Amino acid sequence: MNILAVDTAGKTAGVALLQDDRLLYECYLDAGMTHSETIMPLIDNCLKFCHLTCADIDVYGVNAGPGSFTGLRIGLAAVKGLAFPRETLCAPVSTLEALAATHTGEGTVLCALDARRAQVYSAAFDLATHERLMDDDARAVADLAQFVENCKKPLFFVGDGAALCYNKYGEIPGVLAVPPALRGGRAAAVALVAKQMARHGETVLPEALLPDYHRLSQAERERAERLAAEAEASKTKEAKK
């Protein structure tokens, strides 16, 4: 089975090709360029160097969320465009589950992506079994305190929100540091999770490939706040009549 995986959920971009249990190709790029500039050339290079074409791909894996709204849309659009002509199956991978998949050992890994407003998209997994301990969701960093105190140690934080977590919880006994260069997402991990999803029948056709943002975009939040304010102002005006 050939699985081509794309990671555009955060500031970095990545592409990997997994052939059965063999990682044929992986590229990780953190050069400050936009994903719209880099992702298609990275995919093209991957296929070229592996001497494959889209006709050889059995499953596409891609981060479906959470993560950067723009980054997710770019990755999903790229994969849809590649998968549509042959109706190739796609795996909508949890960004946080893929982050955990690159780490093994004993203890707990808490995956965190910076969601702004002192929040992180977060989930936690047992390092030995990769059993999920916390569902994907947007949470205030402060709201993780009880989990951090009581989870199995050692505890590691990964993802681009890891620094926020280390700043608050880094001094707690059993919390160990992961070097910043090793905290980011990897397309190879997206491919590994995609393989598991394919094995369990959790892949979808490209037309069913959708993002899972886990919260409203800033524009949607601002619109909801504006409508709520207008509704409240209208009620106040009516009450004064």
Side-chain angles (χ1 to χ4, degrees):
M1 177 185 290
N2 291 322
I3 299 175
L4 193 150
V6 172
D7 179 4
T8 58
K11 296 177 182 178
T12 63
V15 173
L17 203 148
L18 185 68
Q19 188 174 73
D20 298 323
D21 292 324
R22 181 186 177 196
L23 182 62
L24 288 185
Y25 180 98
E26 183 179 20
C27 177
Y28 174 95
L29 182 64
D30 186 9
M33 300 170 70
T34 65
H35 296 330
S36 59
E37 293 177 276
T38 59
I39 200 62
M40 292 310 296
L42 292 180
I43 291 171
D44 184 57
N45 283 339
C46 172
L47 292 171
K48 185 183 301 180
F49 289 132
C50 293
H51 304 292
L52 298 172
T53 70
C54 289
D56 300 305
I57 302 303
D58 299 296
V59 174
Y60 289 98
V62 61
N63 293 121
S68 158
F69 286 24
T70 301
L72 293 174
R73 286 194 291 266
I74 290 171
L76 290 163
V79 165
K80 279 190 173 187
L82 296 171
F84 261 128
R86 298 172 183 83
E87 288 288 272
T88 307
L89 291 173
C90 302
V93 173
S94 158
T95 308
L96 299 169
E97 187 171 351
L99 274 169
T102 60
H103 300 274
T104 59
E106 291 294 330
T108 305
V109 57
L110 196 153
C111 307
L113 300 172
D114 189 355
R116 310 301 180 190
R117 298 186 173 189
Q119 290 190 324
V120 287
Y121 298 114
S122 52
F125 300 83
D126 183 283
L127 272 171
T129 64
H130 284 105
E131 175 188 357
R132 181 181 283 275
L133 305 175
M134 180 191 294
D135 290 335
D136 295 5
D137 205 353
R139 300 175 174 90
V141 174
D143 290 344
L144 297 171
Q146 185 175 356
F147 180 86
V148 171
E149 288 283 354
N150 297 319
C151 70
K152 183 168 68 174
K153 304 297 191 297
L155 169 65
F156 304 88
F157 295 108
V158 297
D160 64 20
L164 297 172
C165 297
Y166 278 120
N167 286 343
K168 186 166 184 62
Y169 302 115
E171 300 303 317
I172 290 178
V175 173
L176 300 184
V178 175
L182 301 180
R183 294 176 189 171
R186 287 185 54 189
V190 177
L192 286 172
V193 177
K195 180 181 177 181
Q196 295 169 4
M197 294 176 70
R199 185 180 299 148
H200 296 142
E202 297 171 347
T203 51
V204 299
L205 291 171
E207 54 266 32
L209 192 60
L210 298 171
D212 189 0
Y213 295 130
H214 291 275
R215 77 176 189 188
L216 297 176
S217 68
Q218 181 177 344
E220 290 170 320
R221 291 197 305 272
E222 291 174 351
R223 180 175 183 273
E225 290 167 0
R226 186 178 70 252
L227 292 175
E230 290 173 356
E232 185 62 29
S234 178
K235 284 172 60 179
T236 302
K237 185 177 180 181
E238 287 296 323
K240 290 179 178 179
K241 287 183 179 180

